[in-house]
């Protein structure tokens, strides 16, 4: 629970600073029911939390993977951020954390990192049609006809057209696009299909969760309980 390393926690226990259901425990090897036992450490109550959820504003130039022999990954970014913020990785089972969803190397914006496989499944499953909103800048102007085609669905080299999308123009070469699928390079391929190229792509939202405007590229924060609950709700 991010209190410290194993040896630090052992010290805390041996020095009588940890209470289980109101009683001081002095043996680190004691077993407790992690859900039912009330644990107080140095006067603070801890609620066991098996899952952890982070929001990252993914920076450009890193790949959405856990490890890679050559390239910097989003997990490398997460580790660096946690060490910077907390001074260590103590207590965080980083090996279990993975990105829930994928952004291209040059795409920036909202990425969720978690160790909760079922939440990841919920938001990524194609059948769930979770909406994702992107800020898109293009090489050339997006005409009303192009916008209309994107809205209705386009062929991107597969059998099925893309599902209807919501497009909101911001400038002649900039819009937000909300899609409910997650096909490979989908946004870039949709714009190619109507005759232009994406030159900047940023994910702004997934389901009810919007990228925190305070979060700069490369920064990470934990999701609040409310945000986690909202992510789990049906969209
Ligand atoms: N669509 C793309 O083309 N790239 C991304 O990174 C995300 C959606």
């Amino acid at each position: 629970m991010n209190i410290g390393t194993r040896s630090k926690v052992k010290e805390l226990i041996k020095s009588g600073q940890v209470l289980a259901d109101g009683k001081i425990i002095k043996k680190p090897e004691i077993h407790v029911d992690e859900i039912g036992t009330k644990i107080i450490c140095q006067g603070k109550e801890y609620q066991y939390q098996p899952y952890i959820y982070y929001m990252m504003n993914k920076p450009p130039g890193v790949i959405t993977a856990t490890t890679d022999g050559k390239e910097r990954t989003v997990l490398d970014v997460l580790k660096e951020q946690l060490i910077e913020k907390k001074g260590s990785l103590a207590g965080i089972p980083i090996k279990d954390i993975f990105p829930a969803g994928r952004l291209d190397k040059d795409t920036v914006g909202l990425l969720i990192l978690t160790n909760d496989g079922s939440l990841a499944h919920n938001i990524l499953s194609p059948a769930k049609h979770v909406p994702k909103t992107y800020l898109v800048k293009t090489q050339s102007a997006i005409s009303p006809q192009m916008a209309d085609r994107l809205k209705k669905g386009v062929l991107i080299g597969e059998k099925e057209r893309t599902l209807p999308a919501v497009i909101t123009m911001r400038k002649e070469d900039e819009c937000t696009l909300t899609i409910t699928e997650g096909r490979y390079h989908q946004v870039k391929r949709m714009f190619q299909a109507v005759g232009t190229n994406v030159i900047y792509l940023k994910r702004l939202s997934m389901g009810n969760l919007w990228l925190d405007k305070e979060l700069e590229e490369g920064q990470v924060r934990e999701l609040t309980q409310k945000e986690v609950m909202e992510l789990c709700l049906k969209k």
Side-chain angles (χ1 to χ4, degrees):
M1 301 312 305
N2 287 325
I3 296 170
T5 57
R6 248 163 207 276
S7 50
K8 182 179 168 206
V9 172
K10 275 186 187 170
E11 281 311 310
L12 288 170
I13 293 173
K14 283 183 188 161
S15 62
Q17 298 189 68
V18 179
L19 281 78
D21 284 336
K23 283 198 206 98
I24 291 178
I25 47 159
K26 287 226 169 169
K27 289 186 178 157
E29 62 273 21
I30 195 168
H31 284 242
V32 294
D33 164 8
E34 71 271 26
I35 310 284
T37 314
K38 185 170 155 185
I39 297 289
I40 294 178
C41 177
Q42 295 183 300
K44 184 173 166 213
E45 188 176 342
Y46 285 85
Q47 196 72 49
Y48 178 64
Q49 191 196 336
Y51 296 121
I52 192 140
Y53 308 88
Y54 295 105
M55 165 192 297
M56 176 183 287
N57 184 350
K58 180 193 169 292
V62 301
I63 62 166
T64 309
T66 48
T67 54
D68 192 85
K70 286 191 233 128
E71 307 259 17
R72 209 159 103 82
T73 70
V74 291
L75 256 293
D76 295 328
V77 176
L78 176 67
K79 282 181 215 164
E80 285 160 18
Q81 276 280 304
L82 296 179
I83 290 171
E84 195 175 297
K85 276 195 188 157
K86 301 191 194 251
S88 81
L89 282 175
I92 295 172
I94 198 95
K95 66 170 178 23
D96 298 339
I97 299 175
F98 58 90
R102 186 177 177 285
L103 292 177
D104 297 337
K105 187 173 170 184
D106 58 349
T107 302
V108 297
L110 178 63
L111 189 69
I112 297 163
L113 295 130
T114 184
N115 57 351
D116 181 350
S118 74
L119 176 117
H121 173 77
N122 253 324
I123 55 176
L124 299 178
S125 162
K128 309 257 175 184
H129 297 302
V130 171
K132 286 158 284 242
T133 299
Y134 294 86
L135 174 65
V136 189
K137 297 184 188 178
T138 50
Q139 206 167 33
S140 52
I142 306 159
S143 67
Q145 292 75 17
M146 287 156 84
D148 202 46
R149 286 182 61 202
L150 290 164
K151 208 160 112 187
K152 289 182 177 146
V154 284
L155 284 170
I156 55 171
E158 293 170 22
K159 225 166 108 194
E160 304 285 340
R161 274 175 199 281
T162 55
L163 289 177
V166 177
I167 181 162
T168 308
M169 294 306 298
R170 290 166 57 113
K171 293 182 190 166
E172 65 168 18
D173 56 357
E174 188 179 313
C175 67
T176 59
L177 182 78
T178 304
I179 56 173
T180 56
E181 303 166 282
R183 303 196 210 172
Y184 187 62
H185 294 327
Q186 178 159 347
V187 177
K188 291 175 184 166
R189 287 161 70 203
M190 286 174 75
F191 281 85
Q192 270 162 12
V194 298
T196 188
N197 287 313
V198 171
I199 56 166
Y200 175 86
L201 188 58
K202 177 177 189 175
R203 182 155 60 200
L204 302 176
S205 75
M206 282 181 93
N208 298 321
L209 183 68
W210 287 78
L211 179 66
D212 185 336
K213 289 202 173 78
E214 303 288 302
L215 222 51
E216 285 173 21
E217 281 177 10
Q219 287 190 326
V220 175
R221 73 154 167 84
E222 256 185 72
L223 291 189
T224 63
Q225 269 187 8
K226 186 165 169 269
E227 286 170 331
V228 175
M229 274 166 53
E230 281 174 356
L231 252 187
C232 298
L233 295 176
K234 200 156 167 44
K235 311 299 152 338

